[in-house]
Amino acid sequence: MTNDVLWLRDEPPRPPRRNTPLTLERIITAAIAELDAAGAERLTMRKLAERLQVTSTALYWHVATKEDLLDLALDHVVGEVPVPPPGSEPRAGLRTLLVGWRAAMLAHPWSPALLGRPLLGPHVLARTEFIQAKLVQAGLAGLELAAATRTLAGFVLGASLADATWRRLDDPAAIAKVRAHILDSAERYPTLSTSGFVDAGWPDDELFVFGLDRVLDRLLAST
């Protein structure tokens, strides 16, 4: 099973071929551009090769499978998230990192849909290390540390997935159908039909930050 995960294989990466302008960095950059334009479902190694003006065989010298490429692209997106200075205050550092993490994923709307892939790339692990270091600095340890790490990761990744999904539905006609579906079933969904679940009037950025602040308040309340 571990051989299915790029980051857990024992085999070393292939050395770059001589006399070729193609590099892994170029491939990842082009893949992200292709993903931004068409989404993960439509990405193929053939289309990527066409974008790079190389053969598919040339790609496979650097990347073994499409799944490996998606792992690399997702980790690269997370690498766009600035890591606050090590000396930052725990709550402020966590807030800055997590707001940036969600923003980076929403800038690449295909990325939240890949969250079922193992998040073990170096950029992801570096930011997870920062999260845990800040929580430890705030006084958390053991079960509290493990639960807080999972809570924060789940909050930001879940919000990214939900917000990306709603943003893809950014069509007044489609949203009107969703609204009508809920309102027509008001007896079944009495709270949803009156709470503004579909069009609450608050931007999703504001909702995320408000929720994140409440989560951080709770997790750090005893420190």
Side-chain angles (χ1 to χ4, degrees):
M1 176 65 76
T2 57
N3 284 336
D4 295 333
V5 180
L6 170 65
W7 316 111
L8 299 181
R9 291 186 198 137
D10 293 331
E11 60 194 48
R14 294 179 178 180
R17 299 182 69 179
R18 294 180 179 177
N19 303 321
T20 175
L22 191 62
T23 63
L24 183 58
E25 185 65 26
R26 277 193 64 210
I27 292 171
I28 295 171
T29 299
I32 290 174
E34 187 72 23
L35 287 161
D36 287 345
E41 300 83 2
R42 297 185 180 181
L43 176 70
T44 66
M45 299 299 267
R46 179 183 60 80
K47 286 184 178 180
L48 181 59
E50 290 175 356
R51 177 181 282 270
L52 287 164
Q53 298 183 327
V54 299
T55 65
S56 296
T57 302
L59 291 180
Y60 285 114
W61 182 262
H62 297 270
V63 183
T65 66
K66 175 184 172 180
E67 287 68 31
D68 285 2
L69 184 59
L70 292 175
D71 286 343
L72 290 163
L74 181 58
D75 193 62
H76 192 280
V77 167
V78 176
E80 297 176 4
V81 182
V83 178
S88 59
E89 185 269 333
R91 191 185 191 285
L94 289 167
R95 190 179 191 273
T96 298
L97 179 78
L98 295 171
V99 168
W101 196 324
R102 171 180 169 273
M105 301 204 79
L106 292 181
H108 304 280
W110 51 270
S111 62
L114 300 183
L115 294 175
R117 303 287 302 167
L119 299 179
L120 296 171
H123 292 307
V124 172
L125 292 182
R127 282 145 186 83
T128 306
E129 167 69 22
F130 177 87
I131 290 171
Q132 283 223 326
K134 289 292 130 185
L135 291 171
V136 168
Q137 185 181 341
L140 276 66
L143 179 60
E144 279 190 333
L145 174 61
T149 304
R150 179 170 294 190
T151 297
L152 291 174
F155 184 80
V156 70
L157 298 180
S160 299
L161 180 58
D163 291 342
T165 300
W166 279 105
R167 289 186 182 188
R168 283 199 302 272
L169 195 66
D170 189 17
D171 175 359
I175 293 176
K177 287 183 179 180
V178 174
R179 183 190 304 110
H181 173 70
I182 293 176
L183 293 178
D184 289 345
S185 305
E187 292 185 0
R188 181 179 298 178
Y189 311 118
T191 306
L192 293 180
S193 62
T194 58
S195 68
F197 173 73
V198 176
D199 45 1
W202 300 290
D204 54 15
D205 291 344
E206 182 178 343
L207 288 171
F208 173 76
V209 171
F210 182 89
L212 177 60
D213 283 338
R214 301 292 82 74
V215 171
L216 289 171
D217 288 344
R218 184 66 176 176
L219 290 175
L220 303 178
S222 60
T223 63

